[in-house]
Amino acid sequence: SRWVVGADYVKKHYAYKEVAVPKEQFTAEAGCLFPFLSDRGRNVFLSAGLFALAGYERVNRNGRLLYDGATLLHKGAFIYGFAPAFEMEAFLTDRWAFLFNVRQRVFFGSSVGHFHTVVAVGLKYIIN
């Protein structure tokens, strides 16, 4: 198993007439991933885990008035929640690994939406 700590910035645009209204989330997260399946050579691992999340969400950079005079009801809000996660890690060499991660982020305190799916792809370099 391994512990993971990180920070995320997620931005999504919502269509409103001819413009796109941005929603931004700034979150910190911590969790643990447990490997549950690997190949014989231990080159590919599948892991599952759970993360705790906390942060801040803002819509339209906390501007309440839109260009046509409409008023947004959402104010900036502190958000918190959890995220079940699945990850695939494939070692390319002794020090490099390819990562594929899927998380279903569940938030409370948000007036925009409570469920957000995040898919991530990356490379990991092992220093030690």
Side-chain angles (χ1 to χ4, degrees):
S1 65
R2 64 185 167 104
W3 287 92
V4 178
V5 177
D8 280 335
Y9 170 75
V10 178
K11 185 174 186 179
K12 181 177 181 181
H13 289 90
Y14 291 91
Y16 176 75
K17 296 186 180 178
E18 304 89 35
V19 298
V21 179
K23 177 191 74 170
E24 299 167 296
Q25 291 177 336
F26 308 90
T27 56
E29 57 187 53
C32 192
L33 288 165
F34 300 94
F36 65 89
L37 188 63
S38 68
D39 66 340
R40 282 184 171 246
R42 297 207 174 244
N43 294 318
V44 178
F45 292 92
L46 296 178
S47 302
L50 190 64
F51 288 79
L53 309 165
Y56 186 75
E57 176 182 80
R58 68 182 186 177
V59 176
N60 200 31
R61 295 177 186 83
N62 283 341
R64 302 285 304 274
L65 200 57
L66 295 177
Y67 74 98
D68 64 351
T71 303
L72 290 172
L73 299 177
H74 177 79
K75 298 177 185 173
F78 288 99
I79 54 177
Y80 58 93
F82 64 95
F86 292 98
E87 182 175 275
M88 189 265 314
E89 184 175 26
F91 283 88
L92 305 172
T93 67
D94 289 344
R95 296 207 176 263
W96 288 96
F98 172 77
L99 301 172
F100 178 77
N101 189 301
V102 177
R103 294 182 191 173
Q104 178 60 51
R105 297 160 55 118
V106 181
F107 286 110
F108 304 101
S110 173
S111 63
V112 178
H114 299 291
F115 300 98
H116 305 284
T117 303
V118 176
V119 177
V121 176
L123 286 174
K124 177 170 77 170
Y125 181 73
I126 301 166
I127 296 171
N128 225 358

